[in-house]
Amino acid sequence: MQIRYAEPISVDDLAREANMSKSHFTRAFKLWTGCSPIEYLIRQRITMSKSLLLRERTKSIERIAELVGFDSVSHYIVTFKKYENRTPLQYRKMWL
């Protein structure tokens, strides 16, 4: 299964794709990765956004948030700061 960052992805969809119940899938996923499916997806979105922030310098923070699947730029900024201890703009400027 290919992850499409900008599309909404639910645990129900992932469980269905794996032919498992939602609860069994969530337990198995956490056992395998050490985090919940949603946490994993958020981490992947942040990782992808970090790459875009550096490679796509002409793209706005809003556009990058949209490209990796965040519904709002404010949610993206708060989440990014939670994981990286700086805002996306601070992260981008750090590598100038």
Side-chain angles (χ1 to χ4, degrees):
M1 178 171 83
Q2 178 185 5
I3 294 178
R4 296 170 300 273
Y5 294 98
E7 295 178 20
I9 300 171
S10 73
V11 177
D12 289 327
D13 293 338
L14 295 172
R16 194 171 20 264
E17 186 76 25
N19 263 343
M20 301 168 114
S21 71
K22 181 179 176 179
S23 60
H24 185 254
F25 174 79
T26 301
R27 278 192 306 276
F29 193 94
K30 189 165 188 167
L31 191 65
W32 181 294
T33 65
C35 63
S36 73
I38 297 303
E39 178 75 18
Y40 183 85
L41 178 60
I42 290 168
R43 288 179 184 181
Q44 293 302 307
R45 286 177 169 167
I46 294 297
T47 298
M48 178 59 71
S49 77
K50 286 167 52 178
S51 176
L52 289 172
L53 285 165
L54 301 180
R55 281 187 301 135
E56 305 287 340
R57 293 194 178 271
T58 59
K59 283 193 173 39
S60 69
I61 302 300
E62 292 82 2
R63 181 67 179 134
I64 289 174
E66 181 183 314
L67 287 171
V68 298
F70 282 90
D71 292 336
S72 74
V73 70
S74 60
H75 181 236
Y76 168 62
I77 292 168
V78 167
T79 304
F80 191 97
K81 190 168 185 177
K82 175 183 171 186
Y83 286 91
E84 297 299 318
N85 296 316
R86 60 185 51 88
T87 67
L89 188 56
Q90 290 168 335
Y91 181 85
R92 180 179 263 172
K93 287 181 178 179
M94 183 175 81
W95 296 101
L96 283 178

